[in-house]
Amino acid sequence: MELECYPMGPRPPELVPGRPNRDWMDAFASRHPYRCLPLTMANTTGWEMLCPMSFTAEWNGGPTQNDITLTPDRPHPDFAHFAQSHFAGGVLTMHPGYMFRTPPGWQVWCGGSPNQVKDGIQPLSGLIETDWLPFPFTMNWKFTRPGRVKFQKGEAFCFITLVQHQKIEQFEPVMKVMERDPVLQGQFEAWNRQRTEFNKRLAKGDPDTVKEAWQRFYFKGELPEDTGPAPAAHVNKRRLKPVRLF
């Protein structure tokens, strides 16, 4: 399967597999957030487009296009097309620089990099039917208040992943009582029992528990107390393919 990437100019932004690290996660003691597998998997489930230059965007709070000022750190031949105040209303628009084509039934979901925080501005998300669309899309960020923000060269300004959005309509949320599924209930109760006992030992400062630091059932893809077989499709690290030239 191929995600076809057609450059819209001679110097398109660099497109790389999603990177796992986040500055705010690094800042925690023992890099604690990286123990959360859902966080790290989300960080790498897609591709990032990187800023080709460093620049500052400033919004004075006004409603027009001229109320956003864009200033590159140094002159760059692509800057005027790359970053613009296109939609006004405190919205900053950046051009990914590619037209994407996906196999039938697959679409691109674009937005900011998962679990990446940027003060003063919020990435907007979009779902694009790239299995038929013959032109590119834009990446937009909304200022959350008047002020100035900085995008650094090499910083991810757009993150894309792939979805089959029409199939989601086949799903129906169903409210169920867990007691009607004794296997699932037993697995949950075993996990809850193990979790409670572990936290009690941790609170008491038990040396072995403190050394263990955290339980790894989900990270390892294991069910507590051998309440069922390990999931065959469990993944705890994702390595997406980089772009290759055709």
Side-chain angles (χ1 to χ4, degrees), residues 53-58 69-74 79 149-151:
M53 75 290 289
S54 298
F55 71 96
T56 300
E58 185 171 4
T69 302
L70 303 172
T71 309
D73 281 13
R74 55 182 54 87
F79 181 70
V149 297
K150 181 69 176 287
F151 285 85

Side-chain angles (χ1 to χ4, degrees), residues 1-245:
M1 298 186 64
E2 292 184 347
L3 169 62
E4 298 176 353
C5 311
Y6 294 91
M8 294 288 97
R11 294 177 294 272
E14 187 177 2
L15 179 66
V16 300
R19 298 168 293 185
N21 289 35
R22 300 291 182 265
D23 289 344
W24 69 267
M25 296 171 70
D26 292 337
F28 270 71
S30 302
R31 303 172 83 237
H32 184 83
Y34 290 103
R35 300 173 184 174
C36 180
L37 185 58
L39 280 178
T40 58
M41 288 297 293
N43 291 352
T44 55
T45 303
W47 292 265
E48 296 176 326
M49 276 166 273
L50 311 183
C51 282
M53 75 290 289
S54 298
F55 71 96
T56 300
E58 185 171 4
W59 182 45
N60 63 17
T64 71
Q65 293 178 322
N66 294 331
D67 290 311
I68 293 180
T69 302
L70 303 172
T71 309
D73 281 13
R74 55 182 54 87
H76 193 286
D78 302 326
F79 181 70
H81 178 71
F82 172 69
Q84 298 174 344
S85 175
H86 181 71
F87 294 105
V91 174
L92 168 63
T93 295
M94 287 185 268
H95 291 270
Y98 296 90
M99 182 177 70
F100 294 102
R101 296 305 296 266
T102 44
W106 287 89
Q107 293 78 34
V108 163
W109 182 288
C110 83
S113 292
N115 306 309
Q116 185 67 276
V117 181
K118 196 167 186 67
D119 185 43
I121 198 166
Q122 172 73 29
L124 304 181
S125 299
L127 176 64
I128 305 100
E129 293 184 351
T130 46
D131 54 352
W132 67 265
L133 194 69
F135 50 84
F137 57 86
T138 61
M139 175 63 201
N140 298 285
W141 292 68
K142 179 72 173 71
F143 278 88
T144 57
R145 61 178 182 274
R148 180 183 301 173
V149 297
K150 181 69 176 287
F151 285 85
Q152 298 286 356
K153 181 179 180 180
E155 176 181 350
F157 71 92
C158 183
F159 183 94
I160 61 171
T161 192
L162 303 179
V163 298
Q164 293 177 291
H165 81 88
Q166 292 184 346
K167 287 192 173 182
I168 198 172
E169 298 175 6
Q170 301 174 15
F171 284 89
E172 177 184 11
V174 180
M175 193 78 69
K176 293 188 175 182
V177 179
M178 192 181 297
E179 284 77 5
R180 294 181 180 177
D181 188 336
V183 174
L184 177 61
Q185 184 180 19
Q187 292 172 344
F188 167 74
E189 289 177 349
W191 170 84
N192 193 44
R193 184 166 51 251
Q194 291 275 353
R195 178 81 166 183
T196 301
E197 292 173 357
F198 181 86
N199 286 337
K200 286 180 179 179
R201 296 195 305 271
L202 192 63
K204 292 180 180 179
D206 176 71
D208 291 336
T209 307
V210 172
K211 184 178 180 179
E212 187 177 355
W214 56 294
Q215 292 178 300
R216 295 169 172 82
F217 293 122
Y218 183 56
F219 189 87
K220 293 181 178 180
E222 298 175 347
L223 295 175
E225 301 181 9
D226 295 323
T227 51
H234 176 66
V235 177
N236 61 19
K237 183 175 291 186
R238 190 179 306 284
R239 295 182 177 90
L240 295 184
K241 294 178 175 62
V243 177
R244 66 175 173 85
L245 297 179

